[in-house]
Amino acid sequence: MSLFVILGLLVCIQAQGTIETPVFVLKGRDLLLKLHADPPEGFIYVDWKINKTVTLVRFDSSGKAAVTGRFELGENKFSVILKNLQEVDSGVYSAVAATSTEDKLVSEYKVTVQGPVSPVELTVDPVDSSSSESCDLHVTCRTHNSHISSTFRCVDRVCSQEGGERSEVTTSGASLQVYLLNTVIICNHSNQVHWTQDFDTTAYLCPSKPELPSVFLVKMVVFSVGLIIMVSAVITVHLVDFKKHQERNGGQTPHAALEESSHLKVTF
Ligand SMILES: *[C@@H]1O[C@H](CO)[C@@H](O)[C@H](O)[C@H]1NC(C)=O
């Protein structure tokens, strides 16, 4: 059974003679089409066809061809260069060599012409979160005809994307993505031939939160009250000391007593 399938596949490939090559081209560029195999013995001509129906150019067996329209002959025999490709030129381009008995496919390209993608814009808005240890970011990746949004949660400056990487295919067939690379949020718009990007770093978007003002205030008050109590205690002790001195020394001048008092203050 499986042998039959393999044989069948071999026959198919042989009959086709070639495998379709996918090619993506940026709009406005040129494309060289050449033969993937030699034409069979005794061939009469080689045709390049579009979508298997329209003949683009016919080469005779010596390799001569009449060139018209938007293409040139390539350096290699039987090759052509398509000039200034546009989206409408997308299609299957195949070279068929004709003998007196059969047509043989000798080359085939599936050509897709794509325009450049439009620029993108990334916007990042921090979201007020109830939790004090995490910082949430609401991110939107926008292009002219579509957008995707995503949420990032950062704890201790380490961010992660909720639900993982986001991506979407736009109406023009391009891909719009938003993802995190280390500490950078990247918004990417791409097709097979062109891409645009915008990015932002999470580092400064999620600063570590400052202490709540009320806590700071309480600390200040406690500290101030403590300081006042200590200072009053020192003054009281000195006053008591000063009085005792006065009583003991009787005739001492107030000046000398004051000097002693200030000396005591300094040692404290
Ligand atoms: C070839 O066929 C495809 C699909 O049928 C079509 O979109 C495309 O325009 C055709 N290409 C040309 C050059 O006519």
Side-chain angles (χ1 to χ4, degrees):
M1 164 66 195
S2 57
L3 190 69
F4 273 111
V5 174
I6 291 167
L7 274 177
L9 275 173
L10 282 176
V11 168
C12 269
I13 290 166
Q14 284 238 296
Q16 210 185 14
T18 180
I19 296 160
E20 192 180 81
T21 311
V23 207
F24 294 91
V25 187
L26 182 62
K27 181 178 169 175
R29 294 278 166 87
D30 302 342
L31 175 68
L32 171 71
L33 303 177
K34 54 187 183 183
L35 299 196
H36 291 145
D38 285 333
E41 198 80 13
F43 75 99
I44 305 155
Y45 60 83
V46 174
D47 274 352
W48 276 101
K49 292 188 176 194
I50 306 172
N51 285 345
K52 309 257 161 124
T53 50
V54 185
T55 299
L56 183 72
V57 59
R58 173 168 292 185
F59 288 95
D60 66 21
S61 56
S62 70
K64 280 206 206 88
V67 185
T68 54
R70 280 186 19 247
F71 64 90
E72 285 174 6
L73 299 186
E75 274 179 28
N76 297 53
K77 227 176 178 185
F78 311 114
S79 66
V80 290
I81 300 168
L82 304 174
K83 308 290 286 181
N84 186 26
L85 285 171
Q86 302 298 308
E87 276 106 331
V88 291
D89 297 321
S90 298
V92 175
Y93 288 76
S94 49
V96 178
T99 67
S100 53
T101 53
E102 57 159 6
D103 281 356
K104 192 178 180 231
L105 190 64
V106 279
S107 198
E108 191 163 43
Y109 294 87
K110 186 175 191 312
V111 177
T112 309
V113 182
Q114 295 179 327
V117 292
S118 57
V120 276
E121 193 192 7
L122 178 71
T123 50
V124 183
D125 300 307
V127 183
D128 281 329
S129 84
S130 47
S131 143
S132 59
E133 72 264 17
S134 83
C135 151
D136 286 358
L137 300 172
H138 186 256
V139 170
T140 304
C141 175
R142 194 181 303 278
T143 179
H144 76 290
N145 61 356
S146 69
H147 72 272
I148 48 173
S149 297
S150 189
T151 305
F152 290 78
R153 171 157 292 182
C154 306
V155 179
D156 283 338
R157 290 181 170 240
V158 177
C159 303
S160 60
Q161 188 168 12
E162 308 250 291
E165 182 178 317
R166 294 286 323 274
S167 78
E168 198 176 278
V169 176
T170 67
T171 47
S172 43
S175 151
L176 195 60
Q177 287 170 292
V178 63
Y179 59 95
L180 189 69
L181 186 67
N182 302 322
T183 58
V184 183
I185 299 173
I186 297 172
C187 165
N188 190 65
H189 189 204
S190 63
N191 59 20
Q192 273 81 3
V193 294
H194 187 244
W195 56 272
T196 58
Q197 250 184 14
D198 192 10
F199 56 88
D200 220 332
T201 65
T202 56
Y204 73 90
L205 291 163
C206 269
S208 30
K209 298 211 170 179
E211 263 184 287
L212 289 175
S214 60
V215 172
F216 180 70
L217 219 70
V218 167
K219 280 191 177 173
M220 274 299 279
V221 167
V222 167
F223 182 73
S224 309
V225 168
L227 205 68
I228 288 168
I229 291 173
M230 271 163 65
V231 169
S232 333
V234 168
I235 289 170
T236 312
V237 166
H238 278 293
L239 278 179
V240 169
D241 221 31
F242 180 64
K243 277 218 173 110
K244 274 186 189 162
H245 262 285
Q246 264 194 332
E247 277 159 22
R248 239 190 286 142
N249 300 341
Q252 201 187 32
T253 59
H255 178 70
L258 217 79
E259 242 177 14
E260 199 174 340
S261 169
S262 53
H263 167 73
L264 272 168
K265 257 185 196 161
V266 170
T267 55
F268 173 79

